[in-house]
């Protein structure tokens, strides 16, 4: 299991809800947390890689990048 | 060219921006308008059908349905 962190621009509950919905639907996600307050999305997966998860988040139309901290 | 109308739940500029981004990327869209105020998305296309456009909007994680008015 690997943990991946992303900075995602989310302005309201509708934004974070959209990301939550996308991750709920994404096959291979074991656990995740979407924080509107921290503008941070943390995803745990054994089968998906960093870029695959990033692509799924970006499909929501949100600006997203791999977190460096 | 056919005009399609959808009711889309968008709570802030980030929400409507996400839908705008998705429609900008969608091949076959000739023209579109996203109204946060009206919770309404109008799309003109000659090649896409109603369901294809709805599916693209839903990929953003927003609740969306074909408008009946």
């Amino acid at each position: 299991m690997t943990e991946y962190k992303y900075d995602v621009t989310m302005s309201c509950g509708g934004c974070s809800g959209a990301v939550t919905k996308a991750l709920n639907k994404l096959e291979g996600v074991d656990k995740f947390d979407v924080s509107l307050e921290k503008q941070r999305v943390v995803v745990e997966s054994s089968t998906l890689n960093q870029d695959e998860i990033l692509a799924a988040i970006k499909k929501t139309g949100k600006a997203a990048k791999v977190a460096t901290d």
Side-chain angles (χ1 to χ4, degrees), chain A:
Chain A
M1 182 106 73
T2 312
E3 188 182 82
Y4 302 97
K5 295 181 182 180
Y6 304 89
D7 292 324
V8 183
T9 305
M10 299 174 285
S11 347
C12 75
C15 294
S16 57
V19 176
T20 298
K21 208 164 166 182
L23 290 172
N24 267 326
K25 278 189 186 173
L26 185 61
E27 203 102 6
V29 169
D30 298 311
K31 204 179 151 187
F32 71 89
D33 181 70
V34 175
S35 170
L36 173 59
E37 191 193 353
K38 295 179 188 163
Q39 302 280 296
R40 173 64 52 99
V41 173
V42 180
V43 179
E44 288 179 25
S45 177
S46 310
T47 54
L48 297 165
N49 68 34
Q50 195 175 54
D51 286 346
E52 289 166 335
I53 296 166
L54 182 62
I57 295 171
K58 282 189 171 174
K59 270 190 192 159
T60 64
K62 302 293 167 200
K65 62 181 177 63
V66 173
T68 51
D69 62 328

